[in-house]
Every structure is written in structure tokens, then in C-alpha cells.
């Protein structure tokens, strides 16, 4: 069944955060639903739709930024009470707008996530989880990494409270009271949680999750251990399905799709039967503005049924009936505050002779109203411009810098070992200036329509390695860049964002390029690989060595974990090598099957200790077998890249032969296949520039370290290649 939805824009409020829009339950059997939304101006707005116009129900006064909005009520009753989290306070409103609760929590940080279940309130700051019952503190838990979302399995089905935390270290933590029952590793940093079918399924224990790198999964949270059901990977924003049963196991060859993946995070998930087949579909909102609907096939596996792309990130999504009785729709909110619907109501309907006049009259009234509103807005703009011009010429005038919000994200994409920098502004972007004091490479992004220009910069006196300007087209509010770094080169990347507003103003965002920037947190470590070991001891505290780890590696929590020692595992996204970091007060041990990783760690830790005047005793054990092991891992990548380069170089010659001979029947099947896939091959080769030379650089660096370890003179060939690769970025 093909799903056809039409977009309708209802209302615009201020900038919105994730999960701050909900639909109130319908008051009657066929009545439409009201929409309630909170924005970062601190305003809660509730409205309904009547004759295609937004009719306000209530609107609160501005206040602190609203970070979450949830519906609640007594268990077993209609969930129509509105709970809003802003700062460290939780407020409650009735569906008519009367405030019945103002609860100032004991949290020292702002609330990041909230869930309401009956009289139980679950709140999370960055690392702290608190459970309140009737506004009294019940339980507390300190997470090992930042908390993205919180959820509680339905108490009415399980007859017990089971909170679940989504944490940035790729783990779901299942709690009981203040204790951790167990944790579940998921394939990416979880960003949002939702109950399957809205109630946890038949058992009440089924949980949907979305990750910041675009994966969706279903897990059965059993009493003793989790049971994963299925995952949807993020290939070209959608991707392959991996089912944990024996019925299907679809594996995607990473090297074939390298360079075509796109990091598109999940911000919101809901369940609603928009297909009308009696089975609730999964509604997904992504941070690139994509809205997706997943149905289920006969085997119960999720299948993409519909998608629609907006120009900005989707912060909230829910299915219901808002615009007109009898027509279901997907209601969503965007970052800039638009509340829109994707409705099943057709935009063009056949009408009889008697209805034609009525419809045209209704449309004419709406057009007249819009024209009057437009004229009024234009008049206000002229008035404000004249007032600004008058005040700017005054000798007592004070210049006011316009304030605007930026939603930014700087994340490592495992699939092509590059960083995605996403900049989203509430108004149109004029230009973005990118500056870096370390060698980085800017890669092409298909969805990026901005015009880029590079300026020459002198790296020696000023430390400038990159200066690039992106000039955006009109009405561009979201810009995505891809950046590739090289490990061992670390510093700061800065983005100067200038929107299309007057007077001209700019905001600066800074992003750290870390020494081991291509490493990603993992929970698996293969002890059978040949390991190089770096050991260090000295008079340093646990907090000091943890701060060095934060400086060296991405995805390490800023706060030191609870306990006397800690172990972190990492995987190199480019070479698939691994790293184990085990440290405590006065001691640190680091193991890796990649000798260059150990070398970089040794250099950086030595410099950081010297800055603090701490004497380190450093020893290392180099396993020569690790070099052969690393080269074995590089070989299939190198072979694939050599073959790709060879095919691309043959394309022009083969096309010439095709034009000259008139057909390709005389060519062998291999060459005919190259011609058929010419566009795909060229795109892939273009999206990963100098990938081959980057692999060569890794090989020669490993060779140099072995020669140094044996205290032998480095051969001229290795010296030549290392001089070439020293400051080059691929």
C-alpha cells in the first residue's frame, strides 16, 4: 500500500529542543486533538485547528528554556496533564493552561531528560539520574557518561518501576531503585528512547531506541538479560536491516559503501497506525529534516514505507488527528519552531456543482486574510527599519547585537573515518568561515549547496592550515560539512557563523581535533591480537590522568568515573585496530595492536605531563608481530583502493573505445562492467580523495617506528616517504 501525505504548516513558535511537542488526547470520539509545544523562550503554547487556522487555547509567559515536555496523569486514566522541564524546575499545567505544579528540584544542573509515570517523576541532568515520587526524592544514580534520555517501562503491566537510561557511551542502563541491574550495548550513542507500540508491546518490555549516528533498534528488556530483536542501519540515511534471529542476517560490506554513508542522527520516535492496516507503524524524525515511516512485512521485520525531507531538523514527532476529523496525520516540530503536519487529507478533492462555489469562497476568504496579514507585516518591517535608522544616527544610541541560536554537532562517522560538522541556525545563513590550526581536509557533501572558496594561509608564523568560506544560498538554515583529520595532528577547528540579519553579527564555535581523533569508544576488545604496551608511572592523580585521556581521545566523559581505576576500549575507525586504556592514580597501562597509536600516546602524554611539571617513568614493549598484523588489516583496504583507482583510470579510455566502435560487445565482461558502473565508481573515488596515499602513510610510519626501536638507520626510501607524508592530510 502506497502512503500519500500532504504537508500543512500550522504555527511557528520559538526555537525548540528535542521532545518538546505533544498531542493532547481527543476529548470526543471523532474530535480533533490539541497541540502543546514548549520553546526555548520558555513559552508553552497550546492550540487547536479550526477551519484550517490555528486557534490558541493558552499561552504562558516567557521564562527559562524548555528542555522537555511530557504528558502525564494518574495511572489508568487519560494522560492529559502537561509537565514542562526548564532549568532545574518542573511545572505542571492542566489542558486549559492552569498551573497546578511548580517543583524546584535539588539538581545543580539543568534538566536534560524527563519521564512522567503516574505520581513518579524521572529526571536526568548530564550525569545524574533522580527519581521522585509525589515530589519527594526516592532514588539516585550517577552515570558513567552523559545521559541523553530516560524512560520507564509501563508500571501498569509490570507492576514495578524499571527506569532505563540512554547514555553516550553506547549503553542502555537498566536500573532498579538506585542500583544498576545490567547494561545493554547498542551500536551507537543512543539519543532517544520510546516504548514499542506506545505501551512496551504485549509484554510491556519492548523498547525502541534511536542513535546519534542514525540507527534504530528494538530490544526486549527481560528481567535478567536483554534480547535484541532487530536493528535498522543508517546507509544513505536508511540502510540495511540486521535481524537477530536466524531468519535474516544481511551484512553490508564496509569497503564497498565507503564514502557513501551519511551521519544522520535520530531525534524522535513514535508509534502510530498511519498506514491504516491495524498495525502501529514507527515514525522517525532525523536531524537532517528527514521524516520516515516504517511498516512491517509478513515476517514482522521493519520496512520503509514513506519518507519526506524538510529543510531543518525534526525535534518532535507524533501521530494523531489535528487538522480535520477523519484524517490521520503525522504532526512534527522543527528546530526553528514550525509545527507542521503530514496529513492523509487530499489537497485536491472532487466536488459537485453545489460544493464548488462554497470551496472557492472559503479559499478566497483565506487568500484575503493572508494578503491582509502580509501587508500588515510589511508595514511593521518598514516602521522598524525607519526606527532603527533613526536610532543609529543618534549620538546617544547604544548598539544592540542581535542574539540568535545555533544548533551544532561535531561527530565522528565510523563508516568513512571522517567528522561531520552540522550547523543549524534559526534564520537563514549568509556565510560560514572555517579556520583550523591543524592540517584537515574538507570533503564534498552531496546535500551541501553552498559555494566554497579557499584562501591562502601561511602555516609557519600564524599556525593557519585551513581558511575556507562557505557562501550559502538564500533560505539555507542548515549546513553540513565533512572534515578529515590525521591522527597525531591535534589542535582547534573554528567555525564563524554569520546569518542574514542586520546589523551583521557573527558567532564562533570551536571544536577540538584530538591526537587520536579517529578512535571511537567500543565495548569489545580482542585479547588474542599481538599487542604493543605503553606503561607509565608518576606522581599524578586519577583526575589528572583522566584529563589527559579527555585531551587525547574522543568520547571520553569529562568527569572522572566513580572508582579507583577505569578501563576504556577504543577502535580505530580507519584501520579497525584497537586500544585499551587502563589507568588509576599514579599508574597507566595502554595496549594497542597499532604501533603508531602507542607512539602518539607516548608523545602527547609526555608533553602534557611536562606542562604540569610531573615526572613520568615511561616504558614500552613493542611487539614486532603487531606490524605484520596491522599490515594484514590494511591489505584488503589497500587492495580495494588500488583496484578502484585502476578502474577509474580506465574509464576515459573505455568510453573513447565505445564511441569509436559504436558498441561494447568486443570488450571483456570486466571492462563492460566498469563502463556500466562508471558514474558510481567516479563518485566513490571523488568522495575519498587520496585514500590510497593515506594507507601508504600508515605503512611507512609503522616501518619507521620499527627501525627506531631496533636503533637502526632508516632506509632512504622510508625517509623520503615520511618527509612527503609529514604534514599531508588525506
Amino acid at each position: 500500500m502506497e502512503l500519500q501525505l500532504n504537508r500543512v504548516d500550522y504555527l511557528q513558535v520559538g526555537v525548540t529542543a528535542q521532545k518538546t511537542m505533544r498531542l493532547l488526547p481527543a476529548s470526543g470520539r471523532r474530535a480533533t486533538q490539541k497541540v502543546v509545544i514548549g520553546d526555548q523562550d520558555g513559552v508553552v503554547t497550546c492550540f487547536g485547528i479550526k477551519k484550517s487556522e490555528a486557534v490558541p487555547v493558552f499561552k504562558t509567559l516567557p521564562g527559562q528554556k524548555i528542555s522537555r515536555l511530557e504528558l502525564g496523569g494518574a495511572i489508568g486514566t487519560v494522560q492529559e496533564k502537561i509537565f514542562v522541564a526548564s532549568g532545574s524546575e518542573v511545572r505542571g499545567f492542566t489542558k486549559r493552561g492552569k498551573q497546578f505544579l511548580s517543583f524546584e528540584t535539588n539538581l545543580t544542573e539543568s534538566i536534560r531528560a524527563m519521564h512522567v509515570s503516574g505520581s513518579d517523576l524521572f529526571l536526568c541532568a548530564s550525569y545524574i539520574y533522580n527519581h521522585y515520587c509525589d515530589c519527594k526524592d526516592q532514588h539516585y544514580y550517577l552515570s558513567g557518561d552523559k545521559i541523553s534520555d530516560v524512560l520507564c517501562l509501563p508500571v501498569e503491566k509490570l507492576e514495578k518501576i524499571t527506569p532505563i537510561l540512554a547514555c553516550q557511551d553506547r549503553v542502555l542502563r537498566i536500573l532498579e531503585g538506585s542500583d544498576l541491574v545490567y547494561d545493554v550495548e547498542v551500536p551507537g550513542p543512543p539519543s532517544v528512547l520510546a516504548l514499542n507500540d506506545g505501551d512496551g508491546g504485549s509484554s510491556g518490555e519492548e523498547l525502541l531506541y534511536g542513535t546519534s549516528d542514525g540507527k534504530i533498534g528494538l530490544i526486549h528488556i527481560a528481567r535478567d538479560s536483554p534480547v535484541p530483536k532487530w536493528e535498522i542501519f543508517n546507509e544513505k540515511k536508511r540502510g540495511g536491516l540486521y535481524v537477530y534471529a536466524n531468519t535474516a542476517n544481511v551484512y553490508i560490506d564496509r569497503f564497498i559503501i565507503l564514502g557513501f554513508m551519511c551521519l544522520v542522527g535520530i531525534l524522535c520516535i513514535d508509534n502510530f497506525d498511519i498506514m491504516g492496516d491495524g498495525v502501529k507503524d514507527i515514525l522517525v524524525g532525523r536531524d537532517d529534516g528527514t521524516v520516515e515511516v516504517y511498516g512491517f512485512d509478513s515476517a514482522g521485520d521493519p520496512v520503509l514505507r514513506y519518507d519526506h525531507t524538510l529543510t531543518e531538523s525534526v525535534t518532535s514527532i507524533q501521530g494523531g488527528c489535528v487538522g480535520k476529523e477523519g484524517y490521520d496525520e503525522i504532526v512534527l516540530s522543527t528546530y526553528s519552531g514550525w509545527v507542521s503536519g503530514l496529513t492523509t487529507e487530499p489537497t485536491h478533492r472532487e466536488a459537485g456543482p453545489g460544493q464548488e462555489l462554497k470551496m472557492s469562497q472559503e479559499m478566497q476568504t483565506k487568500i484575503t486574510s493572508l494578503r491582509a496579514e502580509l501587508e500588515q507585516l510589511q508595514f511593521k518591517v518598514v516602521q522598524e527599519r525607519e526606527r532603527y535608522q533613526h536610532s543609529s544616527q543618534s549620538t546617544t544610541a547604544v548598539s544592540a547585537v542581535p542574539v540568535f541560536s545555533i544548533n551544532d554537532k561535531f561527530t565522528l562517522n565510523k563508516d568513512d573515518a571522517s567528522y561531520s560538522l552540522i550547523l543549524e541556525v534559526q534564520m537563514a545563513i549568509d556565510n560560514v568561515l572555517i579556520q583550523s590550526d591543524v592540517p584537515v581536509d574538507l570533503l564534498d557533501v552531496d546535500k551541501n549547496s553552498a559555494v566554497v572558496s579557499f584562501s591562502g594561509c601561511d602555516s609557519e608564523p600564524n599556525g593557519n592550515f585551513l581558511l575556507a568560506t562557505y557562501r550559502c544560498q538564500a533560505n539555507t538554515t542548515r549546513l553540513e560539512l565533512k572534515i578529515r583529520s590525521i591522527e597525531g595532528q591535534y589542535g582547534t577547528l573554528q567555525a564563524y557563523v554569520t546569518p542574514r540579519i542586520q546589523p551583521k553579527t557573527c558567532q564562533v564555535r570551536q571544536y577540538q581535533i584530538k591526537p587520536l581523533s579517529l578512535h571511537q569508544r567500543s565495548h569489545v576488545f580482542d585479547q588474542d591480537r599481538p599487542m604493543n604496551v605503553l606503561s607509565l608511572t608518576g606522581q599524578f592523580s586519577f583526575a589528572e590522568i583522566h584529563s589527559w585521556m579527555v585531551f587525547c581521545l574522543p568520547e571520553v566523559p569529562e568527569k572522572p568515573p566513580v572508582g579507583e581505576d577505569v578501563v576504556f576500549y577504543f577502535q580505530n575507525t580507519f584501520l579497525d585496530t584497537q586500544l585499551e586504556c587502563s589507568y588509576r592514580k599514579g599508574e597507566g597501562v595502554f595496549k594497542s595492536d597499532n604501533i603508531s597509536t602507542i607512539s602518539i600516546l607516548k608523545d602527547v602524554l609526555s608533553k602534557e605531563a611536562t606542562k604540569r611539571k610531573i615526572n613520568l617513568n615511561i616504558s614500552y614493549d613493542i611487539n614486532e608481530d603487531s606490524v605484520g598484523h596491522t599490515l594484514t588489516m590494511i591489505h584488503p583496504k589497500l587492495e580495494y583502493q588500488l583496484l578502484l583507482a585502476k578502474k577509474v583510470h580506465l574509464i576515459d579510455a573505455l568510453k573513447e573505445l565505445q564511441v569509436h566502435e559504436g558498441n561494447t560487445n568486443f570488450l571483456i565482461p570486466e571492462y563492460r562492467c566498469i563502463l556500466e558502473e562508471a558514474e558510481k565508481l567516479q563518485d566513490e573515488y571523488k568522495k575519498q580523495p587520496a585514500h590510497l596515499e593515506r594507507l601508504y602513510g600508515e605503512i611507512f610510519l609503522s616501518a619507521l617506528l620499527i627501525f627506531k626501536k631496533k636503533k637502526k638507520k632508516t632506509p632512504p626510501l622510508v625517509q623520503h616517504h615520511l618527509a612527503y607524508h609529514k604534514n599531508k592530510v588525506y
Side-chain angles (χ1 to χ4, degrees):
M1 176 182 173
E2 187 179 350
L3 183 64
Q4 291 186 347
L5 300 177
N6 301 301
R7 177 177 170 178
V8 182
D9 293 329
Y10 292 128
L11 186 74
Q12 186 177 24
V13 295
V15 173
T16 62
Q18 184 184 7
K19 295 177 77 171
T20 52
M21 186 274 298
R22 295 297 300 269
L23 302 185
L24 293 173
S27 55
R29 188 177 176 183
R30 292 181 60 82
T32 57
Q33 295 173 261
K34 303 292 190 295
V35 181
V36 59
I37 183 170
D39 59 34
Q40 293 193 15
D41 296 328
V43 178
V44 180
T45 305
C46 181
F47 68 94
I49 302 298
K50 191 173 182 181
K51 293 183 179 179
S52 303
E53 295 291 335
V55 179
V57 176
F58 72 86
K59 189 174 183 179
T60 66
L61 295 173
Q64 283 187 293
K65 293 179 180 180
I66 293 174
S67 55
R68 279 291 194 272
L69 188 148
E70 293 288 340
L71 298 182
I75 292 175
T77 64
V78 178
Q79 305 292 293
E80 58 183 10
K81 291 183 178 178
I82 304 161
F83 293 88
V84 172
S86 54
S88 59
E89 182 187 17
V90 176
R91 292 175 292 156
F93 299 90
T94 66
K95 63 179 182 179
R96 299 295 179 190
K98 182 180 179 181
Q99 184 171 339
F100 65 87
L101 174 68
S102 179
F103 174 46
E104 185 64 44
T105 67
N106 55 359
L107 296 172
T108 56
E109 299 178 2
S110 296
I111 297 168
R112 288 169 54 96
M114 177 176 71
H115 181 74
V116 181
S117 175
S119 58
D120 294 293
L121 180 64
F122 306 90
L123 300 177
C124 293
S126 294
Y127 295 89
I128 300 168
Y129 154 82
N130 275 85
H131 171 206
Y132 301 91
C133 184
D134 292 324
C135 297
K136 293 180 181 178
D137 202 345
Q138 297 293 313
H139 300 291
Y140 165 91
Y141 180 77
L142 181 62
S143 173
D145 209 330
K146 285 187 177 180
I147 302 170
S148 302
D149 203 2
V150 63
L151 197 66
C152 181
L153 296 180
V155 178
E156 58 270 27
K157 286 190 175 184
L158 303 180
E159 298 182 351
K160 66 172 184 175
I161 295 174
T162 308
I164 301 170
L165 307 181
C167 302
Q168 285 295 300
D169 54 355
R170 291 175 167 74
V171 161
L172 303 180
R173 290 181 165 86
I174 288 79
L175 307 180
E176 186 174 337
S178 299
D179 301 321
L180 177 67
V181 179
Y182 61 84
D183 52 32
V184 186
E185 183 187 352
V186 291
S191 54
V192 62
L193 301 176
L195 294 172
N196 190 33
D197 287 341
D199 58 0
S202 57
S203 65
E205 297 177 328
E206 292 183 350
L207 180 75
L208 287 165
Y209 66 85
T211 68
S212 59
D213 55 359
K215 302 179 183 71
I216 309 165
L218 176 66
I219 293 183
H220 181 208
I221 306 295
R223 182 180 295 273
D224 300 321
S225 61
V227 182
K229 297 287 188 179
W230 49 258
E231 287 174 10
I232 302 172
F233 292 111
N234 180 27
E235 180 190 356
K236 294 184 183 178
K237 300 177 294 181
R238 296 172 199 146
L241 171 69
Y242 185 92
V243 184
Y244 283 94
N246 292 326
T247 54
N249 187 349
V250 182
Y251 174 73
I252 304 170
D253 186 351
R254 179 178 167 198
F255 306 120
I256 293 177
I257 59 176
L258 199 76
F260 292 89
M261 291 290 207
C262 188
L263 202 66
V264 186
I266 310 291
L267 292 182
C268 45
I269 298 177
D270 188 40
N271 289 97
F272 184 74
D273 182 18
I274 192 70
M275 300 290 296
D277 56 2
V279 179
K280 286 189 176 181
D281 307 298
I282 301 174
L283 314 180
V284 177
R286 296 182 182 266
D287 63 9
D288 71 334
T290 304
V291 179
E292 296 172 337
V293 177
Y294 288 90
F296 294 90
D297 59 18
S298 56
D301 298 331
V303 179
L304 184 69
R305 301 293 191 194
Y306 175 83
D307 67 339
H308 180 84
T309 303
L310 307 175
T311 57
E312 51 186 322
S313 58
V314 180
T315 54
S316 304
I317 192 168
Q318 191 173 350
C321 178
V322 172
K324 192 165 185 178
E325 293 178 13
Y327 293 101
D328 291 334
E329 61 186 287
I330 301 170
V331 183
L332 49 94
S333 65
T334 64
Y335 171 71
S336 67
W338 274 107
V339 180
S340 304
L342 297 174
T343 178
T344 54
E345 181 184 6
T347 53
H348 302 287
R349 290 178 292 177
E350 293 183 6
Q355 293 178 324
E356 191 173 347
L357 180 62
K358 184 179 177 182
M359 286 182 65
S360 62
Q361 221 171 17
E362 184 181 335
M363 187 61 69
Q364 189 64 41
T365 305
K366 190 172 182 179
I367 291 171
T368 305
S369 174
L370 288 172
R371 280 178 177 166
E373 187 179 350
L374 183 61
E375 287 175 4
Q376 190 178 7
L377 287 171
Q378 287 174 336
F379 180 70
K380 282 185 179 179
V381 168
V382 172
Q383 277 187 321
E384 290 298 320
R385 185 178 286 123
E386 288 176 355
R387 196 172 83 176
Y388 173 74
Q389 293 291 343
H390 179 73
S391 62
S392 64
Q393 294 171 4
S394 172
T395 55
T396 59
V398 178
S399 178
V401 177
V403 178
F404 60 94
S405 299
I406 297 179
N407 180 27
D408 59 338
K409 189 170 77 167
F410 188 63
T411 48
L412 177 61
N413 187 352
K414 179 181 178 180
D415 301 301
D416 60 0
S418 68
Y419 276 87
S420 289
L421 174 59
I422 298 172
L423 299 165
E424 190 170 13
V425 185
Q426 62 189 106
M427 67 270 295
I429 302 172
D430 185 25
N431 65 78
V432 175
L433 175 68
I434 302 294
Q435 183 268 336
S436 175
D437 59 5
V438 288
V440 294
D441 198 16
L442 294 177
L443 307 179
D444 288 336
V445 178
D446 289 340
K447 294 181 292 183
N448 189 350
S449 59
V451 178
V452 61
S453 58
F454 294 90
S455 302
C457 47
D458 195 351
S459 60
E460 291 302 324
N462 303 320
N464 260 343
F465 282 90
L466 173 70
L467 201 60
T469 305
Y470 285 83
R471 291 176 174 82
C472 301
Q473 296 182 2
N475 301 322
T476 300
T477 59
R478 187 179 185 275
L479 183 67
E480 182 177 349
L481 314 176
K482 295 199 80 173
I483 295 157
R484 179 165 288 155
S485 61
I486 188 166
E487 291 202 330
Q489 305 276 358
Y490 55 96
T492 305
L493 178 80
Q494 297 188 107
Y496 297 79
V497 183
T498 306
R500 292 180 184 271
I501 55 174
Q502 294 294 336
K504 283 291 183 186
T505 186
C506 173
Q507 281 192 31
V508 184
R509 289 288 189 271
Q510 292 187 337
Y511 310 95
Q512 296 303 315
I513 307 292
K514 304 199 175 187
L516 295 175
S517 56
L518 300 182
H519 278 69
Q520 196 174 64
R521 278 284 293 275
S522 175
H523 296 277
V524 180
F525 191 79
D526 184 4
Q527 298 285 358
D528 295 331
R529 295 185 184 185
M531 291 295 164
N532 305 288
V533 181
L534 171 67
S535 303
L536 56 92
T537 56
Q539 297 299 316
F540 50 81
S541 65
F542 179 63
E544 283 176 323
I545 189 170
H546 181 75
S547 69
W548 297 343
M549 291 298 100
V550 173
F551 179 79
C552 286
L553 288 151
E555 298 187 10
V556 178
E558 295 175 5
K559 290 186 178 181
V562 178
E564 295 182 357
D565 55 7
V566 67
V567 178
F568 288 130
Y569 300 130
F570 295 88
Q571 183 182 25
N572 187 312
T573 56
F574 181 58
L575 298 177
D576 290 328
T577 56
Q578 57 186 16
L579 169 66
E580 178 190 275
C581 301
S582 173
Y583 54 91
R584 58 182 357 177
K585 179 183 177 182
E587 182 184 359
V589 178
F590 307 94
K591 299 178 182 178
S592 177
D593 52 342
N594 188 350
I595 190 173
S596 62
T597 301
I598 293 295
S599 175
I600 292 168
L601 265 178
K602 173 183 171 293
D603 291 343
V604 175
L605 293 177
S606 300
K607 288 179 182 178
E608 290 301 302
T610 303
K611 286 180 186 176
R612 303 192 185 194
K613 299 180 179 178
I614 296 174
N615 186 29
L616 288 183
N617 298 316
I618 299 177
S619 62
Y620 49 89
D621 179 19
I622 302 300
N623 188 336
E624 293 185 18
D625 292 339
S626 68
V627 177
H629 163 77
T630 303
L631 293 176
T632 303
M633 297 186 73
I634 291 176
H635 181 262
K637 299 177 175 63
L638 192 62
E639 192 174 40
Y640 177 78
Q641 290 298 321
L642 283 168
L643 184 60
L644 177 63
K646 179 184 174 183
K647 287 179 178 179
V648 170
H649 291 150
L650 284 171
I651 288 173
D652 289 340
L654 290 173
K655 282 184 176 179
E656 246 182 75
L657 282 172
Q658 183 183 16
V659 171
H660 182 73
E661 298 294 334
N663 59 63
T664 59
N665 297 334
F666 64 96
L667 294 175
I668 60 174
E670 180 187 351
Y671 288 167
R672 285 203 298 269
C673 184
I674 291 173
L675 276 175
E676 289 169 4
E677 299 179 352
E679 188 176 346
K680 179 183 173 183
L681 292 170
Q682 286 173 329
D683 284 344
E684 185 176 356
Y685 190 72
K686 180 184 176 183
K687 288 181 181 180
Q688 41 188 347
H691 204 90
L692 200 57
E693 292 189 5
R694 199 174 178 206
L695 291 168
Y696 287 152
E698 291 285 346
I699 293 170
F700 284 107
L701 181 58
S702 298
L704 173 67
L705 293 171
I706 285 295
F707 282 118
K708 280 189 174 181
K709 190 248 180 185
K710 292 186 173 183
K711 298 181 179 178
K712 291 184 178 180
K713 185 178 179 182
T714 309
L717 178 63
V718 176
Q719 288 181 353
H720 168 75
H721 276 84
L722 283 170
Y724 175 73
H725 290 286
K726 184 179 179 183
N727 282 326
K728 198 167 179 65
V729 181
Y730 309 109

